[in-house]
Amino acid sequence: MIDFSVIWFAIIVFSTLMYIVMDGFDLGIGILFPFIKSAQERDVMMNTVAPVWDGNETWLVLGGAGLYGAFPLAYAVIADALAIPLTLMLIGLIFRGVAFEFRFKATEAHRAFWDKSFIGGSLLATFSQGVAVGTILNGFPVKERTFAGSAMDWLTPFTLFCGLGLIIAYALLGCTWLIMKTEHDLHKKMSSLTTPLLYLLLAVVGGISLWTPYAHDPIAHRWFSVPNIFWFLPVPVLVLVCAWGIMRAVKREAHYSPFLLTLGLIFLGFSGLGISIWPNIIPPSITIWAAASPPQSQAFMLVGSLLIIPVILGYTLWSYYVFRGKTRMGEGYH
């Protein structure tokens, strides 16, 4: 018998990972804006993602819709528990999107306002996403299939630390994206920022890796029990290998490998989150099967998803292929 819950969990995980990767680097560009003062270089930074940024958020919509239809209990609990950070995230994304379009049409007198809106929206959206991830790791109190906590349960030192950590992760992703897409002075500036951001990210990953099992005994047991520890050991090893590869690539002035290796770091971090909570979709105790909608509903939705996901992937691949290569100064907004 087909386990639709596992299939839908995989679709939601894939959609979330695609969103983190693809929207991560353009949010990272907003986070990096304060480090670049030249208006022309800021134009180039935005032009590198102008043709693709709005399509990146399709994956966020797909993941949210899939969660709503396939795991309605999880959607209800998460939407209730994370109402404030998710609302802040949407406000940040709105400001980022509006600033993206209006900045290129604004007069010089007003452009500074839209630059600040772009920076603030990127920071707010990223920080809110990190807080949401930290709250999911902490888990949700559920009673009679209803969220039983308070509206401020998300506000803890751990979740705030996760928010700051995601800002650093997206900044590194944006930095290596710009290494791949730009040249000359801007390329050199991004190369010089990569190593400090990488060290900060490794410190954050190390902090979360120590904090999480210390605060959650079930996660500590899952990580360090035998034989699990031997299955999970490759994750930190691969993180160090990717970090070493990024530093070497930056030193030899590589263009593509820093970004590809940073994608590897993001994937490894995301896999660590999955390892920590599986098979629960509402930590600490509600599994994907307990939160699932009826199999008939999941099967009905799956038919449409199997049609639309290849279309989204095809559109995404085609748009990145068309706008491949370096973005140069003076090319204009696409």
Side-chain angles (χ1 to χ4, degrees), residues 37-286:
K37 304 303 180 184
S38 166
Q40 291 78 17
E41 289 183 336
R42 286 185 171 186
D43 288 345
V44 173
M45 291 168 70
M46 296 189 80
N47 285 340
T48 63
V49 292
V52 295
W53 74 271
D54 46 356
N56 294 340
E57 294 177 2
T58 306
W59 298 105
L60 181 63
V61 176
L62 177 62
L67 187 67
Y68 175 79
F71 304 103
L73 175 60
Y75 182 89
V77 170
I78 291 171
D80 197 3
L82 298 176
I84 293 175
L86 292 179
T87 300
L88 293 175
M89 180 192 75
L90 291 175
I91 291 171
L93 291 175
I94 290 168
F95 263 86
R96 189 275 306 261
V98 172
F100 217 114
E101 300 294 342
F102 278 36
R103 181 181 179 275
F104 287 98
K105 300 174 176 65
T107 63
E108 288 299 323
H110 294 143
R111 180 168 289 194
F113 170 80
W114 293 114
D115 280 352
K116 290 181 176 64
S117 296
F118 185 60
I119 295 167
S122 299
L123 285 169
L124 180 60
T126 303
F127 183 75
S128 300
Q129 290 173 18
V131 166
V133 170
T135 307
I136 291 171
L137 279 172
N138 277 342
F140 305 99
V142 178
K143 186 177 181 180
E144 297 179 356
R145 297 178 65 84
T146 304
F147 175 62
S150 73
M152 299 302 292
D153 279 0
W154 57 271
L155 189 59
T156 69
F158 177 74
T159 59
L160 297 178
F161 185 72
C162 289
L164 292 174
L166 194 63
I167 288 175
I168 295 169
Y170 280 4
L172 179 62
L173 197 57
C175 197
T176 53
W177 167 263
L178 291 171
I179 287 175
M180 183 175 68
K181 295 291 290 184
T182 63
E183 54 189 7
H184 305 313
D185 289 344
L186 184 56
H187 176 93
K188 292 177 182 177
K189 289 175 183 177
M190 292 300 110
S191 297
S192 66
L193 279 173
T194 297
T195 301
L197 286 172
L198 179 60
Y199 282 131
L200 284 173
L201 181 59
L202 290 176
V204 166
V205 170
I208 293 175
S209 298
L210 293 173
W211 198 334
T212 301
Y214 176 78
H216 304 284
D217 289 336
I219 293 177
H221 176 74
R222 176 168 298 180
W223 284 13
F224 301 119
S225 62
V226 178
N228 288 358
I229 190 170
F230 298 110
W231 291 105
F232 300 157
L233 188 60
V235 174
V237 172
L238 289 172
V239 165
L240 294 176
V241 169
C242 286
W244 176 76
I246 292 170
M247 287 187 283
R248 280 194 50 134
V250 169
K251 284 182 181 178
R252 59 185 174 85
E253 299 183 353
H255 290 258
Y256 294 95
S257 52
F259 179 68
L260 297 176
L261 288 167
T262 303
L263 290 181
L265 278 180
I266 299 297
F267 173 78
L268 289 168
F270 192 77
S271 66
L273 171 64
I275 288 169
S276 301
I277 67 173
W278 170 263
N280 298 321
I281 197 168
I282 309 176
S285 58
I286 298 179

Side-chain angles (χ1 to χ4, degrees), residues 10 13 16 35 64 82 127 213 235 258 295-296 320 324:
V13 167
T16 305
F35 296 96
L82 298 176
F127 183 75
V235 174
Q296 296 88 343
Y320 278 88
R324 67 194 182 279

